[in-house]
Every structure is written in C-alpha cells, then in structure tokens.
Amino acid sequence: MTTSLDAPSEFVYHVHHIPKNNPILLSYLAGKFASLKLNAVQVEKAAFSATFASESIPSFTSRIEKLKLPHIHTFVAVAYPNSTPPSEQTIDQGDFIGCLTLIGPIPKTTYEWPESGGRAIGCDEEETKWQMTGVYTSPNHRGHGVGKLLINSACEFAVQQSGEKASRVRACTHPLNKKALELYLKLDFERAGTCNRYEAQKANEEVLPDRETMDPAVWFSKVGPVLERTSSGA
C-alpha cells in the first residue's frame, strides 16, 4: 500500500506500509525505522512513553520480529526530492520522516474500556477494531500534511482489511497535546471518552512498569482524550 502527497515543498511524500514477506528488504527497513523511532523519542519526549534509552535496548533481531507480527502494521512517510522519478519513489529509497503504528484487529473483550464514557462498541461480527499509536513527523517536514497522510492511510487500510464489516480506529492523546487533538477532529475522528495512562500504554503494547511502582495520580486518572473514527462496511 502506497499513498502519496503532492505538497508545495521541495519534497514529494509517500506513505508506505512496511511489508512483512521480504526478509532482505525488511532487514534493511528495520534499521531505517529504528533510527526514525530513536529520533522521535528524543524530539517528542512528552508524546512517547518510551525513552531514547529504552528504544536503544531491543536487539536488531527483535525489531525485525516485531515488524513481522501479523497484528502490527507499520506505516512510514518517506520524503523524496521533487526531482526523483516516480519509479524510484519506493520504500527503500528516500528518507523516513514520519511513522505510525496500527494494531489490530483487536477483539471487543480487549478493546473495550470500562468507565471510559465512550460510545457503545459493536460486536466482532459487525466491526473490526484498531488501535493507532506512535504518530510522528520529523520537525523539518511538518506543515506539509504528512501527519494527515499517515492517519488517513492507516484508516483506509483498516477499511480495506475489514471488508464488509464496519471499522473502528481509536487514538489516545495526551491531555496537553492540543495540536494532536485538533488534527484528529479535523480528520473525522470523534471524541469517545477518556482513558488513563495505564490503559493507553497497554493498548499500544508498550512495556508497563510494576503496578506497585505506579503513581495512581499519574497512571490511573482518566484524563487522556480518546478519539475514534468509524467507517461503515462495504
């Protein structure tokens, strides 16, 4: 899956879905993706629970294995100079300047959060459910619609994978991240209650600390806005 954006910039942008079935290509892409993530956690320290230190720990093999997981779908935004011929605007060329991870489909029993104040969740026979996380655009490429392109590409993928079923894509935002909230609302997401940090990180499949070390005021206060975008089936 490849989606492109022609922006008033010296670059042209494409969003690619990292493939899982080409071991040689995947090995190369895993290295580029790891570099992007390390940069992301340094630039957006408040937006990511991971740190540079924690992102540096996984081995190269474990990074590849995670990208291969059937329920983990990784999208990268790639920037190419405007002079790049279309035939060379492939995932292995250009610079990785943005990313997004889509987790799913997720069963209702795992997806649903009690006391979230959100909308009713449909059964798995009626709709598929997805968790969106790790949305990032490099500062040098912001203002050209790359974030919008990433989010729309992931949502379109969820619709395609859902077939005749409806699809539901969820994103959790930091309560102070007003720009992210505004972006989701502009892209047809709707408010769907609130979540706490524990729920958000668990849904994003991030490593959680020992519950005994968790500060209740930090981990269990439902202050994080939840956004959902739903689409009807084919």
Side-chain angles (χ1 to χ4, degrees), residues 141-174:
H141 294 273
R142 293 175 184 174
H144 299 294
V146 176
K148 174 182 177 180
L149 189 63
L150 280 162
I151 292 170
N152 281 337
S153 297
C155 289
E156 290 166 9
F157 173 83
V159 170
Q160 293 172 4
Q161 295 297 304
S162 301
E164 297 183 355
K165 294 182 181 181
S167 65
R168 179 188 300 265
V169 178
R170 178 174 66 195
C172 306
T173 63
H174 191 283

Side-chain angles (χ1 to χ4, degrees), residues 27-213:
S27 177
Y28 173 67
L29 298 178
K32 295 184 71 173
F33 182 64
S35 296
L36 178 66
K37 287 297 294 293
L38 286 170
N39 182 66
V41 297
Q42 285 183 296
V43 173
E44 298 290 355
K45 294 180 180 179
F48 289 91
S49 59
T51 63
F52 185 86
S54 65
E55 277 293 324
S56 302
I57 292 174
S59 66
F60 190 65
T61 300
S62 66
R63 293 180 189 277
I64 295 174
E65 290 304 312
K66 185 172 183 179
L67 289 173
K68 289 167 61 177
L69 291 172
H71 69 294
I72 300 291
H73 311 280
T74 308
F75 297 81
V76 290
V78 186
Y80 311 89
N82 273 330
S83 59
T84 306
S87 61
E88 296 180 14
Q89 294 174 16
T90 55
I91 192 171
D92 57 329
Q93 302 293 325
D95 295 324
F96 281 16
I97 54 87
C99 59
L100 178 155
T101 299
L102 189 68
I103 303 170
I106 303 169
K108 179 180 179 179
T109 52
T110 302
Y111 182 93
E112 195 167 30
W113 287 334
E115 302 178 1
S116 67
R119 297 170 294 178
I121 308 297
C123 66
D124 295 337
E125 290 71 31
E126 298 174 345
E127 64 176 30
T128 60
K129 302 160 190 68
W130 310 76
Q131 179 78 19
M132 182 182 293
T133 183
V135 183
Y136 171 74
T137 303
S138 173
N140 292 337
H141 294 273
R142 293 175 184 174
H144 299 294
V146 176
K148 174 182 177 180
L149 189 63
L150 280 162
I151 292 170
N152 281 337
S153 297
C155 289
E156 290 166 9
F157 173 83
V159 170
Q160 293 172 4
Q161 295 297 304
S162 301
E164 297 183 355
K165 294 182 181 181
S167 65
R168 179 188 300 265
V169 178
R170 178 174 66 195
C172 306
T173 63
H174 191 283
L176 299 181
N177 195 341
K178 304 300 182 183
K179 288 186 177 180
L181 179 60
E182 291 174 359
L183 176 60
Y184 284 119
L185 293 174
K186 287 180 180 179
L187 297 179
D188 298 324
F189 281 75
E190 297 180 0
R191 293 178 181 270
T194 57
C195 68
N196 58 45
R197 183 176 177 182
Y198 179 83
E199 292 169 327
Q201 287 195 207
K202 185 177 181 181
N204 294 344
E205 298 201 340
E206 297 176 8
V207 177
L208 295 169
D210 189 331
R211 290 185 70 108
E212 294 183 357
T213 67

